[in-house]
Amino acid sequence: MKNTMMKYLFILSFLIIGVTTNVSAQKIESLKKADSSKELNDSTSIIYGLFIQRLGFTSGGFPQEIRFHDVVTDKMYTFNVKGTMKSGKENPFCYYIKPGMYKVFSYFWTKSKWYGGEMHEERIFKNIDTSTKDYTKGVKSGTINPDKLEPYYIEIRPDSIYYVGTWHFDTGLVSFTDNKTDLDDKLKKKYSEMNFDEAIIKLPE
């Protein structure tokens, strides 16, 4: 009975997430997982890296996402940086993406609770911890204007593979580092049709 109830709550939480996402200001397009560099062309590139998540085992089975904003087309994109039913602290990611200039817009995650999940979406800015109560109060009171804060950008050009770094989101003050050699050695076994040696190193900046 207890297991049945937990499954029900888990499914309900995902339904709530879906409703919340659809009600957001605009439609968000999901990136497709990449498995081969043969798909590269003038309208398709690849990004890959390693994501260090905030919660570890307290994330439960909920996925976590990063959202990109294309500043030219004004479209929003999302991709999973932690899969469903996974709780590992470090998670590699690899996705096809259209060329463009992207803003690393937000981090969407869910914390496991007894009733299901508590959802959070944090905007991403340089040297700003948006997970704090002070930031939330500042935005509500008008003393902090998110439009005037400095975001991270990443430019993606056509027909290319980009290593975008290790993404340190284990704290509210995010950062990006280059650990390409270590990650490439791990991924080459899984992605045999991906030419990581030709990847361009491009961290958000």
Side-chain angles (χ1 to χ4, degrees), residues 120-161:
H120 300 264
E121 183 172 15
E122 298 174 5
R123 291 290 305 276
I124 305 302
F125 301 107
K126 293 182 180 180
N127 304 313
I128 299 290
D129 185 348
T130 63
S131 68
T132 65
K133 292 181 179 179
D134 287 341
Y135 173 82
T136 302
K137 289 179 181 178
V139 172
K140 288 181 178 179
S141 66
T143 57
I144 296 177
N145 182 354
D147 292 335
K148 294 185 177 181
L149 299 178
E150 188 177 7
Y152 285 96
Y153 292 96
I154 186 165
E155 182 181 9
I156 303 298
R157 296 189 177 183
D159 196 18
S160 302
I161 302 176

Side-chain angles (χ1 to χ4, degrees), residues 104-123:
V104 183
F105 189 80
S106 65
Y107 175 35
F108 191 88
W109 55 277
T110 304
K111 188 172 184 178
S112 182
K113 294 287 187 178
W114 68 266
Y115 50 80
E118 181 180 86
M119 294 173 292
H120 300 264
E121 183 172 15
E122 298 174 5
R123 291 290 305 276

Side-chain angles (χ1 to χ4, degrees), residues 93-111:
F93 59 89
C94 189
Y95 289 93
Y96 295 115
I97 189 169
K98 296 176 182 178
M101 176 63 76
Y102 294 95
K103 181 188 298 183
V104 183
F105 189 80
S106 65
Y107 175 35
F108 191 88
W109 55 277
T110 304
K111 188 172 184 178

